[in-house]
Amino acid sequence: MTPYEMIRTQLAQAVPFANHVGVELIEVGDGVGIAALDQRSETSNHIQSQHAGAMFTLGEAASGAALAGAFGPMIFQVRPVASGATISYVKVAKGRLEAHASTGRAGADLLAELEEVGKIAFDIQVDIRDADGDTVVTMTVGWHVRKS
């Protein structure tokens, strides 16, 4: 098992609400995270599309996976906190969705800044796509990370 697979496995258990909603972590890598959400009656709204809150949870989980991947095995020695988010619902979303998140900076760069300053703030971009590959949501999640 690679370090990224270990992080993915541990993250899958770390956020009970994301588990409750049904978010599945697919991939964790250096500054990237992919998560998926199948549409169920519990994640649907009054027009039978994915509920905005479920999509927000999906995007936030993918951003957390990207953050964890950027910090690698050191993720358990830092304290990440989401500081804010903006979200745009671009298209009605139905069925299985995948959220693709990216830090935009290599983990080594983020780690170097954290070591030098002791804390760091940065944004993670998230693109949520439907089964056809169309973007249904764009999201930016701001994160603050400091050493534990």
Side-chain angles (χ1 to χ4, degrees):
M1 182 177 277
T2 70
Y4 291 128
E5 289 169 338
M6 287 188 289
I7 291 168
R8 183 180 57 81
T9 299
Q10 291 185 355
L11 279 180
Q13 305 303 315
V15 184
F17 185 74
N19 288 331
H20 174 73
V21 172
V23 172
E24 174 189 1
L25 291 180
I26 304 294
E27 180 181 329
V28 174
D30 181 1
V32 297
I34 300 174
L37 178 65
D38 290 317
Q39 185 172 358
R40 308 180 325 276
S41 61
E42 297 85 2
T43 66
S44 298
N45 61 22
H46 64 290
I47 61 169
Q48 305 312 308
S49 63
Q50 287 275 24
H51 190 280
M55 292 187 289
F56 184 95
T57 301
L58 172 63
E60 198 258 354
S63 76
L67 180 143
F71 287 92
M74 188 180 175
I75 189 61
F76 304 109
Q77 299 166 4
V78 299
R79 188 174 148 258
V81 176
S83 61
T86 59
I87 189 165
S88 295
Y89 302 97
V90 178
K91 178 182 172 189
V92 172
K94 293 186 177 189
R96 182 176 175 85
L97 302 178
E98 275 196 4
H100 297 254
S102 173
T103 60
R105 293 173 61 190
D109 293 342
L110 295 170
L111 279 168
E113 186 175 335
L114 179 64
E115 284 297 323
E116 181 179 324
V117 181
K119 61 183 178 178
I120 185 172
F122 58 95
D123 291 339
I124 295 180
Q125 303 302 315
V126 183
D127 183 52
I128 301 179
R129 304 171 193 156
D130 64 16
D132 293 329
D134 294 336
T135 296
V136 296
V137 171
T138 59
M139 186 173 182
T140 301
V141 182
W143 288 93
H144 287 215
V145 179
R146 63 176 54 237
K147 294 180 180 182
S148 297

